[in-house]
Amino acid sequence: MNALRKPDQPASAEARVVPMSSVPMHTQIREIIRRRVLDGTYPPHSQMPSESQMMQAFSVSRITIRQAMGDLQKEGLVFKVAGKGSFVAKPKAFQNLSRLQGFGEAMGPWGYETFSQVLSTRQVAASEIVARRLHVAIGEPVYEIQRLRYLNREPISVDQSYFPLALGERLVQEDLATRDIFVILENDLGQHLTHADVQIEAISADAFLARQLRIEEASPLLRIERLTYADEHPIDFEFLYYRGDAFQYRLRIDRT
């Protein structure tokens, strides 16, 4: 049973559902369609195949298709227009705040393509806030790394990160375009990351951020201030500027 695909697109193993699998049929179909949305087979704002077409393609009942599409609608990947059918939404990526992860680590399992453009790497004098966060003296040399992060080939955030000087000098020798800094810190530089303090606020994009993120000046952004520790020592202080129309943070809060 093949998933719906473009006429010139060959069938593949990932586009098949398995009737006797332990994974429910609607879950398999949901994952096939999710992949098609994320890889651009179904572009943003394009109309999805009808329920009847999907029933025929997957050889399943209408309720199974509705379960799969309902899940995707809850995730914000598709939306319905009364009398016209379902359409592909522009994917809005999210990161769970309950785990300390780098951007690539968080996005990879969901099928997103991520990479970075290094905007600048330089030694700078610690400002008052950087000095306070990294426990150094004001004016003491620290290392600043600025990156433009991409999600599915669209700019999603500008990351401005500060490190103790010796650590920053080692970091810039690594592949900062395709690897998460957290992964490099742990696997290459032997840092044991333990926790982070995070603050989030809404701001408006200035001219520099608007230009990098390809948005209008004064567009809404999420500004995340994050201080990451290795054991009990602060080693990575960051300002992360995320497009408000394309990214969200999620957090589960338990009542005990």
Side-chain angles (χ1 to χ4, degrees):
M1 300 179 202
N2 295 336
L4 292 170
R5 59 186 187 278
K6 293 179 179 178
D8 59 347
Q9 183 181 47
S12 65
E14 72 168 292
R16 297 179 182 274
V17 293
V18 182
M20 300 305 292
S21 170
S22 60
V23 179
M25 294 285 282
H26 78 275
T27 301
Q28 295 182 56
I29 294 168
R30 180 192 68 202
E31 294 306 308
I32 290 170
I33 297 174
R34 178 192 281 122
R35 283 194 295 269
R36 295 306 185 206
V37 170
L38 296 180
D39 69 15
T41 300
Y42 296 146
H45 306 300
S46 64
Q47 186 168 10
M48 296 292 297
S50 67
E51 288 184 353
S52 297
Q53 289 174 314
M54 287 191 277
M55 288 165 59
Q56 182 178 3
F58 291 112
S59 298
V60 296
S61 67
R62 188 176 301 274
I63 191 171
T64 299
I65 295 299
R66 287 183 174 176
Q67 284 180 294
M69 293 299 290
D71 287 348
L72 293 169
Q73 189 173 0
K74 290 176 183 176
E75 293 178 27
L77 292 179
V78 301
F79 63 94
K80 287 185 176 181
V81 177
K84 294 186 177 181
S86 295
F87 293 78
V88 180
K90 184 175 180 179
K92 191 165 188 175
F94 69 90
Q95 187 167 349
N96 195 324
L97 277 179
S98 62
R99 296 187 62 192
L100 179 57
Q101 291 182 302
F103 183 68
E105 289 180 294
M107 296 297 102
W110 292 95
Y112 291 103
E113 175 191 5
T114 63
F115 63 92
S116 302
Q117 176 188 348
V118 179
L119 300 177
S120 67
T121 61
R122 59 177 183 161
Q123 178 179 317
V124 299
S127 65
E128 181 180 355
I129 187 171
V130 171
R132 187 165 64 249
R133 296 293 191 269
L134 291 180
H135 296 177
V136 299
I138 297 175
E140 182 175 329
V142 294
Y143 220 95
E144 178 192 80
I145 297 174
Q146 288 194 64
R147 294 171 298 158
L148 178 60
R149 309 300 298 271
Y150 285 82
L151 183 73
N152 286 358
R153 304 186 185 183
E154 290 193 2
I156 189 75
S157 75
V158 173
D159 295 4
Q160 188 173 5
S161 308
Y162 297 90
F163 305 89
L165 187 60
L167 189 60
E169 290 175 337
R170 295 176 66 188
L171 271 173
V172 295
Q173 304 303 315
E174 304 294 337
D175 180 7
L176 298 178
T178 62
R179 301 181 67 200
D180 273 345
I181 282 180
F182 282 179
V183 173
I184 296 172
L185 287 171
E186 290 186 317
N187 295 345
D188 297 36
L189 304 185
Q191 300 292 324
H192 177 222
L193 304 184
T194 53
H195 64 283
D197 296 328
V198 177
Q199 295 179 206
I200 302 175
E201 63 178 325
I203 66 167
S204 298
D206 61 19
F208 169 75
L209 293 171
R211 184 171 63 253
Q212 296 298 330
L213 295 172
R214 302 177 194 168
I215 57 177
E216 296 292 330
E217 192 170 343
S219 295
L221 296 178
L222 288 176
R223 188 180 88 153
I224 293 89
E225 180 182 310
R226 182 170 67 189
L227 178 61
T228 302
Y229 291 78
D231 296 314
E232 297 303 317
H233 304 287
I235 65 166
D236 178 3
F237 177 58
E238 302 173 287
F239 292 111
L240 313 175
Y241 300 92
Y242 281 96
R243 286 176 51 173
D245 66 334
F247 194 83
Q248 61 184 222
Y249 272 103
R250 295 182 184 177
L251 177 63
R252 173 176 174 172
I253 302 175
D254 293 321
R255 182 181 176 92
T256 56

